[in-house]
Amino acid sequence: MSDPATPKNMRPSENLDAIVVGAGFAGLYMLHRLRGIGLKAIILEQAAGVGGTWYWNRYPGARCDVESMQYSFSFSEELQQEWQWRERFAGQPEILRYANHVADRFDLRRDIHFETPVRAAHFDDATGRWRITTAGGEEFSARYCIMATGCLSTARLPDIPGRESFAGKTYHTGHWPHEGVDFTGQTVGVIGTGSSAIQAIPVIAEQVRQLFVFQRTANYSIPARNAPMAPDYEQAWKSAYAERRTKARMMRTGILYPLNDTSALAVDPATREREYQARWAAGGLGFMAAFNDLILDRRANDTAAEFVRAQIRAIVRDPKVAEILCPKDHPIGTKRICADTNYFATYNRDNVTLIDLHATPITAITSHGLDTTGARFTLDSIVFATGFDAMTGTLTRIDIRGTLGARLRDKWEAGPRSYLGLMTAGFPNLFLITGPGSPSVLSNMMVSIEQHVDWIADCLAFLQREGLSQIEPRSDAEEAWVAHGNEVADRTLYPAANSWYMGANIPGKPRVFMPYIGGVGVYREICDKVAAGGYADGFLLSAGPARAAAE
Ligand code: FAD
Ligand code: N01
């Protein structure tokens, strides 16, 4: 394809069809697929390496919560057969090695520009191309812009007064130093008890002199039961990979685990207890598949929540501490459930103290540590395990402008609006991988990433075949999709929690349930149907201004 308008600062060699932003798993696979359909594409990535989440989140204890045999790519049979995971749930270093292996194996690095943060992406109405500007002032132009920028890629520091005044060291789990941190002999404070903290706390506790955990909201966590990969388990997966992956793609969460298609309220308490015990013993996210209505019916949910609270009370020796650790203010599963190794037992250690911020809120960070209404804590280091501006934060930090200069951040001011979570009206040829409005963060992200990348690649191949070059959702289709997403979410217990799914962790962020809860399998069928119908259902297709002018 020729480039009708070459921006001044554009690299002369870059005559591009597509620009992908982000070199996490989504960006890597997208580049591979774009090459496969004959498009010239590059990735712009702000980090110095590939891996996205697994490049940034190097905190102690970081590992996946979906089993590695499933939290991995399925697009290459050779890759999935040859790669050997060492643990049931791989740790961050192993997952990062895997991302690097994928980049090398498919020769992706030559088209990745590292240390290249994207600041702006503007659609040029006259040429039908996207102009991408980087922090270094470079400009690139391409017909298609694909945001593989991640849903959990903008770390968030809370606005606690005095944060800058702390004289010790501060860390965010999502920006962990590459060289690691030695906490030996230190008094450390961890703020937050989400998934990151729940993984990090047991490991940090083993190193420090004294650990203070500052908890605002107690969280549900299921033991991961992580272990070295059992060779027969690995073999069972590898000998049936194709069939198992196909099944997983049609599951509600994209994860293959035994689903018990019974209501928790339809069985007697002893049967219920046995089911929960078995799943607690098996470990991992399959706990929430114990019954089919845990996320739909509050009374059913209460039975699972109470079971987990009973486990916490059994593990934690001090009943007062156990009670503070028992989540009571949101239904189980309405925040991404955590998978841990020794989390609750860590509070039995002499060097670990839990601070209940509901009883004694933080008032300030000071030069020496942290003050609550109850006490003054002198700390050497503070670990912020305070999460992310999820799903929209990374996108709205980029100055994205569509037709007639309309800004994405204005359009999404009251909450994200998309069609199928893949595109947004008024922004032609802009694709979002695992964007808001798709199952995304509610799923095994590898399954959702592969589904979106394949859908986008197939769509671009279709446009090429048909002599078209522009695609954009119709506003009415987008309206209907947003309404459908809200309606499905309202049938569940999810909106009951102050979760980052709802934007509730960011002051001022609109309270909207962002991912699509209809289920990975159902969603895939909807997307496939739209593709099979030539994208006529909900999309506007055209030859685009540049193509029209050239012809
Ligand atoms: P990311 O991996 O976030 O990659 C996005 C990339 O875009 C990053 O490299 C970032 O630097 C880059 N980028 C962003 N903005 C710009 C910009 N303006 N300019 C240039 N580059 C930019 N999901 C699961 O399904 N299972 C799990 O077990 C699991 N564990 C997780 C553990 C942690 C600690 C976290 C934080 C998330 C976890 N997730 C998990 C979700 C995880 O984010 C996804 O599984 C997956 O790694 C996302 O891949 P991605 O490529 O879409 O995004
Ligand atoms: O972030 P979070 P995360 N004062 O937002 C607290 C994925 N992930 O990085 O709940 C005091 O969940 C906040 O308290 P509250 C996974 O999808 C997966 O842990 O707002 N506390 C909360 O406790 C996950 O859901 C894995 O009251 C403050 C914590 O900080 C997502 O990433 C591992 C505060 C933030 O929890 C995000 O997880 C890690 C304040 N001012 C991450 N502000 C796996 O296991 C915030 N908090 C695969």
Side-chain angles (χ1 to χ4, degrees), residues 59 63-65 152 156 158 160 173 191-197 199 216-217 335-336 339 357 362 385-388 500 505:
Y59 60 83
R63 63 180 68 252
C64 52
D65 62 2
L152 297 160
R156 179 188 167 260
I160 300 173
T173 47
I191 303 179
T193 48
S195 299
S196 300
Q199 290 185 329
R216 192 163 62 185
T217 307
K335 297 183 171 193
R336 189 167 175 124
L357 296 181
I362 296 175
T386 45
F388 302 88
W500 57 258
N505 64 329

PDB file of all heavy atoms in Angstrom, residues 59 63-65 152 156 158 160 173 191-197 199 216-217 335-336 339 357 362 385-388 500 505, ligand 2:
ATOM      1  N   TYR A  59       7.188  -7.910  41.216  1.00  0.00           N
ATOM      2  CA  TYR A  59       7.194  -7.966  42.688  1.00  0.00           C
ATOM      3  C   TYR A  59       7.368  -9.409  43.155  1.00  0.00           C
ATOM      4  O   TYR A  59       7.043 -10.362  42.427  1.00  0.00           O
ATOM      5  CB  TYR A  59       5.900  -7.345  43.241  1.00  0.00           C
ATOM      6  CG  TYR A  59       4.627  -8.014  42.790  1.00  0.00           C
ATOM      7  CD1 TYR A  59       4.148  -9.149  43.439  1.00  0.00           C
ATOM      8  CD2 TYR A  59       3.895  -7.520  41.723  1.00  0.00           C
ATOM      9  CE1 TYR A  59       2.984  -9.770  43.031  1.00  0.00           C
ATOM     10  CE2 TYR A  59       2.730  -8.148  41.293  1.00  0.00           C
ATOM     11  CZ  TYR A  59       2.286  -9.263  41.951  1.00  0.00           C
ATOM     12  OH  TYR A  59       1.139  -9.900  41.540  1.00  0.00           O
ATOM     13  N   ARG A  63       2.813 -14.247  40.112  1.00  0.00           N
ATOM     14  CA  ARG A  63       2.605 -15.408  39.242  1.00  0.00           C
ATOM     15  C   ARG A  63       1.181 -15.392  38.702  1.00  0.00           C
ATOM     16  O   ARG A  63       0.353 -14.594  39.159  1.00  0.00           O
ATOM     17  CB  ARG A  63       2.904 -16.720  39.963  1.00  0.00           C
ATOM     18  CG  ARG A  63       2.039 -17.050  41.161  1.00  0.00           C
ATOM     19  CD  ARG A  63       2.422 -18.394  41.801  1.00  0.00           C
ATOM     20  NE  ARG A  63       3.737 -18.349  42.428  1.00  0.00           N
ATOM     21  CZ  ARG A  63       4.825 -18.954  41.942  1.00  0.00           C
ATOM     22  NH1 ARG A  63       4.754 -19.650  40.820  1.00  0.00           N
ATOM     23  NH2 ARG A  63       5.974 -18.880  42.571  1.00  0.00           N
ATOM     24  N   CYS A  64       0.905 -16.245  37.733  1.00  0.00           N
ATOM     25  CA  CYS A  64      -0.432 -16.232  37.137  1.00  0.00           C
ATOM     26  C   CYS A  64      -1.441 -16.965  38.033  1.00  0.00           C
ATOM     27  O   CYS A  64      -1.051 -17.755  38.894  1.00  0.00           O
ATOM     28  CB  CYS A  64      -0.404 -16.837  35.745  1.00  0.00           C
ATOM     29  SG  CYS A  64       0.369 -18.455  35.649  1.00  0.00           S
ATOM     30  N   ASP A  65      -2.715 -16.668  37.824  1.00  0.00           N
ATOM     31  CA  ASP A  65      -3.771 -17.338  38.593  1.00  0.00           C
ATOM     32  C   ASP A  65      -4.572 -18.290  37.710  1.00  0.00           C
ATOM     33  O   ASP A  65      -5.495 -18.945  38.175  1.00  0.00           O
ATOM     34  CB  ASP A  65      -4.698 -16.321  39.285  1.00  0.00           C
ATOM     35  CG  ASP A  65      -5.451 -15.421  38.314  1.00  0.00           C
ATOM     36  OD1 ASP A  65      -5.306 -15.596  37.091  1.00  0.00           O
ATOM     37  OD2 ASP A  65      -6.183 -14.528  38.782  1.00  0.00           O
ATOM     38  N   LEU A 152      -4.406  -3.497  32.501  1.00  0.00           N
ATOM     39  CA  LEU A 152      -3.844  -3.264  33.838  1.00  0.00           C
ATOM     40  C   LEU A 152      -2.408  -2.793  33.647  1.00  0.00           C
ATOM     41  O   LEU A 152      -1.456  -3.423  34.105  1.00  0.00           O
ATOM     42  CB  LEU A 152      -3.915  -4.557  34.662  1.00  0.00           C
ATOM     43  CG  LEU A 152      -5.336  -5.060  34.924  1.00  0.00           C
ATOM     44  CD1 LEU A 152      -5.359  -6.541  35.283  1.00  0.00           C
ATOM     45  CD2 LEU A 152      -5.993  -4.242  36.039  1.00  0.00           C
ATOM     46  N   ARG A 156      -1.419   2.807  39.710  1.00  0.00           N
ATOM     47  CA  ARG A 156      -2.051   3.926  40.402  1.00  0.00           C
ATOM     48  C   ARG A 156      -1.493   4.086  41.813  1.00  0.00           C
ATOM     49  O   ARG A 156      -1.476   3.149  42.600  1.00  0.00           O
ATOM     50  CB  ARG A 156      -3.555   3.677  40.472  1.00  0.00           C
ATOM     51  CG  ARG A 156      -4.236   4.777  41.197  1.00  0.00           C
ATOM     52  CD  ARG A 156      -5.675   4.537  41.467  1.00  0.00           C
ATOM     53  NE  ARG A 156      -6.071   5.543  42.444  1.00  0.00           N
ATOM     54  CZ  ARG A 156      -6.185   5.303  43.737  1.00  0.00           C
ATOM     55  NH1 ARG A 156      -5.975   4.115  44.233  1.00  0.00           N
ATOM     56  NH2 ARG A 156      -6.527   6.293  44.553  1.00  0.00           N
ATOM     57  N   PRO A 158      -2.120   6.086  45.333  1.00  0.00           N
ATOM     58  CA  PRO A 158      -3.238   6.803  45.960  1.00  0.00           C
ATOM     59  C   PRO A 158      -2.827   8.213  46.381  1.00  0.00           C
ATOM     60  O   PRO A 158      -1.650   8.477  46.631  1.00  0.00           O
ATOM     61  CB  PRO A 158      -3.548   5.948  47.187  1.00  0.00           C
ATOM     62  CG  PRO A 158      -2.313   5.187  47.468  1.00  0.00           C
ATOM     63  CD  PRO A 158      -1.555   5.045  46.188  1.00  0.00           C
ATOM     64  N   ILE A 160      -2.563  10.010  48.947  1.00  0.00           N
ATOM     65  CA  ILE A 160      -2.457  10.136  50.406  1.00  0.00           C
ATOM     66  C   ILE A 160      -1.605  11.367  50.694  1.00  0.00           C
ATOM     67  O   ILE A 160      -0.507  11.502  50.124  1.00  0.00           O
ATOM     68  CB  ILE A 160      -1.825   8.870  51.021  1.00  0.00           C
ATOM     69  CG1 ILE A 160      -2.701   7.644  50.696  1.00  0.00           C
ATOM     70  CG2 ILE A 160      -1.633   9.021  52.526  1.00  0.00           C
ATOM     71  CD1 ILE A 160      -2.096   6.310  51.103  1.00  0.00           C
ATOM     72  N   THR A 173       3.882  -2.209  43.085  1.00  0.00           N
ATOM     73  CA  THR A 173       4.014  -3.590  42.576  1.00  0.00           C
ATOM     74  C   THR A 173       4.051  -3.638  41.049  1.00  0.00           C
ATOM     75  O   THR A 173       4.700  -4.502  40.476  1.00  0.00           O
ATOM     76  CB  THR A 173       2.840  -4.463  43.072  1.00  0.00           C
ATOM     77  OG1 THR A 173       1.611  -3.741  42.853  1.00  0.00           O
ATOM     78  CG2 THR A 173       2.986  -4.786  44.546  1.00  0.00           C
ATOM     79  N   ILE A 191       0.681  -1.221  51.471  1.00  0.00           N
ATOM     80  CA  ILE A 191      -0.662  -0.628  51.412  1.00  0.00           C
ATOM     81  C   ILE A 191      -1.455  -1.371  50.349  1.00  0.00           C
ATOM     82  O   ILE A 191      -1.049  -1.414  49.188  1.00  0.00           O
ATOM     83  CB  ILE A 191      -0.603   0.883  51.090  1.00  0.00           C
ATOM     84  CG1 ILE A 191       0.245   1.610  52.128  1.00  0.00           C
ATOM     85  CG2 ILE A 191      -2.017   1.469  51.011  1.00  0.00           C
ATOM     86  CD1 ILE A 191       0.374   3.107  51.886  1.00  0.00           C
ATOM     87  N   GLY A 192      -2.583  -1.955  50.742  1.00  0.00           N
ATOM     88  CA  GLY A 192      -3.432  -2.679  49.804  1.00  0.00           C
ATOM     89  C   GLY A 192      -3.427  -4.163  50.092  1.00  0.00           C
ATOM     90  O   GLY A 192      -2.420  -4.715  50.572  1.00  0.00           O
ATOM     91  N   THR A 193      -4.560  -4.801  49.791  1.00  0.00           N
ATOM     92  CA  THR A 193      -4.689  -6.257  49.950  1.00  0.00           C
ATOM     93  C   THR A 193      -5.456  -6.837  48.760  1.00  0.00           C
ATOM     94  O   THR A 193      -6.356  -7.667  48.914  1.00  0.00           O
ATOM     95  CB  THR A 193      -5.387  -6.617  51.278  1.00  0.00           C
ATOM     96  OG1 THR A 193      -6.564  -5.810  51.419  1.00  0.00           O
ATOM     97  CG2 THR A 193      -4.488  -6.412  52.473  1.00  0.00           C
ATOM     98  N   GLY A 194      -5.109  -6.359  47.546  1.00  0.00           N
ATOM     99  CA  GLY A 194      -5.644  -6.963  46.321  1.00  0.00           C
ATOM    100  C   GLY A 194      -4.764  -8.139  45.918  1.00  0.00           C
ATOM    101  O   GLY A 194      -3.906  -8.595  46.683  1.00  0.00           O
ATOM    102  N   SER A 195      -4.951  -8.615  44.677  1.00  0.00           N
ATOM    103  CA  SER A 195      -4.215  -9.803  44.208  1.00  0.00           C
ATOM    104  C   SER A 195      -2.708  -9.627  44.325  1.00  0.00           C
ATOM    105  O   SER A 195      -1.997 -10.559  44.711  1.00  0.00           O
ATOM    106  CB  SER A 195      -4.533 -10.080  42.744  1.00  0.00           C
ATOM    107  OG  SER A 195      -5.882 -10.330  42.552  1.00  0.00           O
ATOM    108  N   SER A 196      -2.215  -8.437  43.959  1.00  0.00           N
ATOM    109  CA  SER A 196      -0.753  -8.224  43.968  1.00  0.00           C
ATOM    110  C   SER A 196      -0.224  -8.340  45.389  1.00  0.00           C
ATOM    111  O   SER A 196       0.771  -9.024  45.646  1.00  0.00           O
ATOM    112  CB  SER A 196      -0.402  -6.847  43.395  1.00  0.00           C
ATOM    113  OG  SER A 196      -0.860  -6.724  42.073  1.00  0.00           O
ATOM    114  N   ALA A 197      -0.891  -7.663  46.328  1.00  0.00           N
ATOM    115  CA  ALA A 197      -0.451  -7.693  47.722  1.00  0.00           C
ATOM    116  C   ALA A 197      -0.538  -9.106  48.284  1.00  0.00           C
ATOM    117  O   ALA A 197       0.359  -9.566  49.001  1.00  0.00           O
ATOM    118  CB  ALA A 197      -1.309  -6.744  48.551  1.00  0.00           C
ATOM    119  N   GLN A 199      -0.205 -11.866  46.833  1.00  0.00           N
ATOM    120  CA  GLN A 199       0.933 -12.678  46.381  1.00  0.00           C
ATOM    121  C   GLN A 199       2.242 -12.216  47.022  1.00  0.00           C
ATOM    122  O   GLN A 199       3.106 -13.026  47.349  1.00  0.00           O
ATOM    123  CB  GLN A 199       1.068 -12.597  44.857  1.00  0.00           C
ATOM    124  CG  GLN A 199      -0.051 -13.315  44.123  1.00  0.00           C
ATOM    125  CD  GLN A 199       0.163 -13.328  42.625  1.00  0.00           C
ATOM    126  OE1 GLN A 199       0.745 -12.410  42.055  1.00  0.00           O
ATOM    127  NE2 GLN A 199      -0.318 -14.373  41.971  1.00  0.00           N
ATOM    128  N   ARG A 216      -7.568  -1.863  53.671  1.00  0.00           N
ATOM    129  CA  ARG A 216      -8.835  -1.120  53.682  1.00  0.00           C
ATOM    130  C   ARG A 216      -9.987  -2.107  53.485  1.00  0.00           C
ATOM    131  O   ARG A 216     -10.899  -2.146  54.294  1.00  0.00           O
ATOM    132  CB  ARG A 216      -8.829  -0.061  52.580  1.00  0.00           C
ATOM    133  CG  ARG A 216      -9.966   0.920  52.713  1.00  0.00           C
ATOM    134  CD  ARG A 216      -9.744   2.161  51.901  1.00  0.00           C
ATOM    135  NE  ARG A 216      -9.657   1.900  50.478  1.00  0.00           N
ATOM    136  CZ  ARG A 216      -9.378   2.821  49.575  1.00  0.00           C
ATOM    137  NH1 ARG A 216      -9.121   4.069  49.946  1.00  0.00           N
ATOM    138  NH2 ARG A 216      -9.321   2.526  48.300  1.00  0.00           N
ATOM    139  N   THR A 217      -9.909  -2.918  52.432  1.00  0.00           N
ATOM    140  CA  THR A 217     -10.985  -3.883  52.177  1.00  0.00           C
ATOM    141  C   THR A 217     -10.429  -5.295  52.224  1.00  0.00           C
ATOM    142  O   THR A 217      -9.486  -5.613  51.486  1.00  0.00           O
ATOM    143  CB  THR A 217     -11.616  -3.628  50.782  1.00  0.00           C
ATOM    144  OG1 THR A 217     -11.992  -2.251  50.700  1.00  0.00           O
ATOM    145  CG2 THR A 217     -12.843  -4.495  50.561  1.00  0.00           C
ATOM    146  N   LYS A 335     -14.995  -9.132  42.872  1.00  0.00           N
ATOM    147  CA  LYS A 335     -13.683  -8.595  42.521  1.00  0.00           C
ATOM    148  C   LYS A 335     -12.931  -9.819  42.045  1.00  0.00           C
ATOM    149  O   LYS A 335     -13.233 -10.928  42.513  1.00  0.00           O
ATOM    150  CB  LYS A 335     -12.974  -8.016  43.735  1.00  0.00           C
ATOM    151  CG  LYS A 335     -13.693  -6.830  44.343  1.00  0.00           C
ATOM    152  CD  LYS A 335     -12.880  -6.266  45.492  1.00  0.00           C
ATOM    153  CE  LYS A 335     -13.487  -4.949  45.959  1.00  0.00           C
ATOM    154  NZ  LYS A 335     -12.583  -4.215  46.846  1.00  0.00           N
ATOM    155  N   ARG A 336     -11.937  -9.680  41.161  1.00  0.00           N
ATOM    156  CA  ARG A 336     -11.258 -10.903  40.686  1.00  0.00           C
ATOM    157  C   ARG A 336     -10.739 -11.671  41.896  1.00  0.00           C
ATOM    158  O   ARG A 336      -9.974 -11.118  42.702  1.00  0.00           O
ATOM    159  CB  ARG A 336     -10.126 -10.587  39.726  1.00  0.00           C
ATOM    160  CG  ARG A 336      -9.584 -11.887  39.067  1.00  0.00           C
ATOM    161  CD  ARG A 336      -8.696 -11.609  37.886  1.00  0.00           C
ATOM    162  NE  ARG A 336      -8.113 -12.809  37.348  1.00  0.00           N
ATOM    163  CZ  ARG A 336      -8.220 -13.208  36.090  1.00  0.00           C
ATOM    164  NH1 ARG A 336      -8.936 -12.515  35.241  1.00  0.00           N
ATOM    165  NH2 ARG A 336      -7.618 -14.297  35.669  1.00  0.00           N
ATOM    166  N   ALA A 339      -5.666 -15.906  44.141  1.00  0.00           N
ATOM    167  CA  ALA A 339      -5.116 -17.253  44.354  1.00  0.00           C
ATOM    168  C   ALA A 339      -3.782 -17.048  45.062  1.00  0.00           C
ATOM    169  O   ALA A 339      -2.934 -16.322  44.567  1.00  0.00           O
ATOM    170  CB  ALA A 339      -4.922 -17.948  43.016  1.00  0.00           C
ATOM    171  N   LEU A 357      -7.702  -0.404  58.239  1.00  0.00           N
ATOM    172  CA  LEU A 357      -7.868   1.021  57.896  1.00  0.00           C
ATOM    173  C   LEU A 357      -9.325   1.472  58.008  1.00  0.00           C
ATOM    174  O   LEU A 357      -9.588   2.674  58.019  1.00  0.00           O
ATOM    175  CB  LEU A 357      -7.330   1.293  56.494  1.00  0.00           C
ATOM    176  CG  LEU A 357      -5.827   1.081  56.309  1.00  0.00           C
ATOM    177  CD1 LEU A 357      -5.429   1.419  54.871  1.00  0.00           C
ATOM    178  CD2 LEU A 357      -5.007   1.936  57.283  1.00  0.00           C
ATOM    179  N   ILE A 362      -5.741   5.901  57.276  1.00  0.00           N
ATOM    180  CA  ILE A 362      -4.470   6.612  57.097  1.00  0.00           C
ATOM    181  C   ILE A 362      -4.774   8.107  57.089  1.00  0.00           C
ATOM    182  O   ILE A 362      -5.706   8.561  56.410  1.00  0.00           O
ATOM    183  CB  ILE A 362      -3.809   6.218  55.756  1.00  0.00           C
ATOM    184  CG1 ILE A 362      -3.443   4.735  55.752  1.00  0.00           C
ATOM    185  CG2 ILE A 362      -2.571   7.085  55.465  1.00  0.00           C
ATOM    186  CD1 ILE A 362      -2.900   4.213  54.423  1.00  0.00           C
ATOM    187  N   ALA A 385       0.647  -1.477  46.849  1.00  0.00           N
ATOM    188  CA  ALA A 385       0.026  -2.556  46.059  1.00  0.00           C
ATOM    189  C   ALA A 385      -1.379  -2.060  45.738  1.00  0.00           C
ATOM    190  O   ALA A 385      -2.373  -2.720  46.029  1.00  0.00           O
ATOM    191  CB  ALA A 385       0.002  -3.846  46.861  1.00  0.00           C
ATOM    192  N   THR A 386      -1.439  -0.858  45.187  1.00  0.00           N
ATOM    193  CA  THR A 386      -2.692  -0.104  45.110  1.00  0.00           C
ATOM    194  C   THR A 386      -3.352  -0.148  43.725  1.00  0.00           C
ATOM    195  O   THR A 386      -4.270   0.621  43.466  1.00  0.00           O
ATOM    196  CB  THR A 386      -2.455   1.348  45.556  1.00  0.00           C
ATOM    197  OG1 THR A 386      -1.260   1.835  44.933  1.00  0.00           O
ATOM    198  CG2 THR A 386      -2.284   1.434  47.056  1.00  0.00           C
ATOM    199  N   GLY A 387      -2.885  -1.046  42.864  1.00  0.00           N
ATOM    200  CA  GLY A 387      -3.640  -1.334  41.655  1.00  0.00           C
ATOM    201  C   GLY A 387      -3.406  -0.394  40.491  1.00  0.00           C
ATOM    202  O   GLY A 387      -2.376   0.287  40.398  1.00  0.00           O
ATOM    203  N   PHE A 388      -4.424  -0.339  39.628  1.00  0.00           N
ATOM    204  CA  PHE A 388      -4.274   0.282  38.306  1.00  0.00           C
ATOM    205  C   PHE A 388      -5.494   1.146  37.964  1.00  0.00           C
ATOM    206  O   PHE A 388      -6.575   0.901  38.478  1.00  0.00           O
ATOM    207  CB  PHE A 388      -4.156  -0.816  37.240  1.00  0.00           C
ATOM    208  CG  PHE A 388      -2.999  -1.745  37.496  1.00  0.00           C
ATOM    209  CD1 PHE A 388      -3.158  -2.870  38.312  1.00  0.00           C
ATOM    210  CD2 PHE A 388      -1.753  -1.495  36.963  1.00  0.00           C
ATOM    211  CE1 PHE A 388      -2.094  -3.724  38.569  1.00  0.00           C
ATOM    212  CE2 PHE A 388      -0.674  -2.339  37.215  1.00  0.00           C
ATOM    213  CZ  PHE A 388      -0.846  -3.453  38.023  1.00  0.00           C
ATOM    214  N   TRP A 500     -12.450  -2.395  40.758  1.00  0.00           N
ATOM    215  CA  TRP A 500     -11.892  -1.649  39.616  1.00  0.00           C
ATOM    216  C   TRP A 500     -12.636  -1.986  38.339  1.00  0.00           C
ATOM    217  O   TRP A 500     -12.579  -1.232  37.377  1.00  0.00           O
ATOM    218  CB  TRP A 500     -10.383  -1.827  39.506  1.00  0.00           C
ATOM    219  CG  TRP A 500      -9.869  -3.243  39.378  1.00  0.00           C
ATOM    220  CD1 TRP A 500      -9.317  -3.995  40.357  1.00  0.00           C
ATOM    221  CD2 TRP A 500      -9.828  -4.051  38.188  1.00  0.00           C
ATOM    222  NE1 TRP A 500      -8.945  -5.233  39.868  1.00  0.00           N
ATOM    223  CE2 TRP A 500      -9.244  -5.292  38.541  1.00  0.00           C
ATOM    224  CE3 TRP A 500     -10.223  -3.858  36.863  1.00  0.00           C
ATOM    225  CZ2 TRP A 500      -9.045  -6.318  37.621  1.00  0.00           C
ATOM    226  CZ3 TRP A 500     -10.031  -4.887  35.945  1.00  0.00           C
ATOM    227  CH2 TRP A 500      -9.444  -6.084  36.339  1.00  0.00           C
ATOM    228  N   ASN A 505     -12.151   2.291  42.007  1.00  0.00           N
ATOM    229  CA  ASN A 505     -10.883   2.533  42.713  1.00  0.00           C
ATOM    230  C   ASN A 505     -10.245   3.862  42.347  1.00  0.00           C
ATOM    231  O   ASN A 505      -9.237   4.243  42.934  1.00  0.00           O
ATOM    232  CB  ASN A 505      -9.883   1.390  42.431  1.00  0.00           C
ATOM    233  CG  ASN A 505      -9.480   1.319  40.959  1.00  0.00           C
ATOM    234  OD1 ASN A 505     -10.270   1.660  40.095  1.00  0.00           O
ATOM    235  ND2 ASN A 505      -8.274   0.901  40.692  1.00  0.00           N
TER     236      ASN A 505
HETATM  237  O1  N01 B   2      -4.870  -4.070  42.560  1.00  0.00           O
HETATM  238  P1  N01 B   2      -6.323  -3.994  43.236  1.00  0.00           P
HETATM  239  P2  N01 B   2      -3.926  -5.331  42.362  1.00  0.00           P
HETATM  240  N1  N01 B   2      -5.584   3.384  50.957  1.00  0.00           N
HETATM  241  O2  N01 B   2      -6.959  -2.791  42.665  1.00  0.00           O
HETATM  242  C1  N01 B   2      -5.985  -0.803  48.111  1.00  0.00           C
HETATM  243  C2  N01 B   2      -4.677  -8.658  38.338  1.00  0.00           C
HETATM  244  N2  N01 B   2      -3.673  -9.366  39.127  1.00  0.00           N
HETATM  245  O3  N01 B   2      -2.669  -4.852  41.730  1.00  0.00           O
HETATM  246  O4  N01 B   2     -10.236  -2.484  47.878  1.00  0.00           O
HETATM  247  C3  N01 B   2      -5.579   2.102  51.307  1.00  0.00           C
HETATM  248  O5  N01 B   2      -7.049  -5.264  43.106  1.00  0.00           O
HETATM  249  C4  N01 B   2      -7.311  -1.356  47.688  1.00  0.00           C
HETATM  250  O6  N01 B   2      -8.241  -1.239  48.721  1.00  0.00           O
HETATM  251  P3  N01 B   2      -9.835  -1.106  48.356  1.00  0.00           P
HETATM  252  C5  N01 B   2      -6.051  -9.058  38.838  1.00  0.00           C
HETATM  253  O7  N01 B   2      -6.952  -8.982  37.784  1.00  0.00           O
HETATM  254  C6  N01 B   2      -3.684 -10.713  39.094  1.00  0.00           C
HETATM  255  O8  N01 B   2      -3.814  -6.098  43.579  1.00  0.00           O
HETATM  256  O9  N01 B   2      -9.931  -0.083  47.273  1.00  0.00           O
HETATM  257  N3  N01 B   2      -5.690   1.102  50.442  1.00  0.00           N
HETATM  258  C7  N01 B   2      -6.915  -2.789  47.351  1.00  0.00           C
HETATM  259  O10 N01 B   2      -6.818  -3.567  48.488  1.00  0.00           O
HETATM  260  C8  N01 B   2      -6.293  -7.995  39.877  1.00  0.00           C
HETATM  261  O11 N01 B   2      -7.648  -7.832  40.213  1.00  0.00           O
HETATM  262  C9  N01 B   2      -2.782 -11.407  39.849  1.00  0.00           C
HETATM  263  O12 N01 B   2     -10.455  -0.708  49.617  1.00  0.00           O
HETATM  264  C10 N01 B   2      -5.807   1.408  49.143  1.00  0.00           C
HETATM  265  C11 N01 B   2      -5.524  -2.600  46.738  1.00  0.00           C
HETATM  266  O13 N01 B   2      -5.038  -1.350  47.194  1.00  0.00           O
HETATM  267  C12 N01 B   2      -5.696  -6.771  39.217  1.00  0.00           C
HETATM  268  O14 N01 B   2      -4.531  -7.263  38.566  1.00  0.00           O
HETATM  269  C13 N01 B   2      -1.883 -10.747  40.650  1.00  0.00           C
HETATM  270  C14 N01 B   2      -5.811   2.745  48.712  1.00  0.00           C
HETATM  271  C15 N01 B   2      -5.537  -2.583  45.233  1.00  0.00           C
HETATM  272  O15 N01 B   2      -5.998  -3.788  44.777  1.00  0.00           O
HETATM  273  C16 N01 B   2      -5.315  -5.656  40.175  1.00  0.00           C
HETATM  274  O16 N01 B   2      -4.703  -6.220  41.324  1.00  0.00           O
HETATM  275  C17 N01 B   2      -1.890  -9.373  40.661  1.00  0.00           C
HETATM  276  C18 N01 B   2      -5.700   3.751  49.692  1.00  0.00           C
HETATM  277  N4  N01 B   2      -5.736   5.046  49.364  1.00  0.00           N
HETATM  278  C19 N01 B   2      -2.794  -8.692  39.886  1.00  0.00           C
HETATM  279  N5  N01 B   2      -5.939   2.746  47.367  1.00  0.00           N
HETATM  280  C20 N01 B   2      -2.824 -12.867  39.841  1.00  0.00           C
HETATM  281  O17 N01 B   2      -2.805 -13.526  40.830  1.00  0.00           O
HETATM  282  C21 N01 B   2      -6.011   1.454  46.990  1.00  0.00           C
HETATM  283  N6  N01 B   2      -5.931   0.655  48.064  1.00  0.00           N
HETATM  284  C22 N01 B   2      -2.918 -13.512  38.594  1.00  0.00           C
END
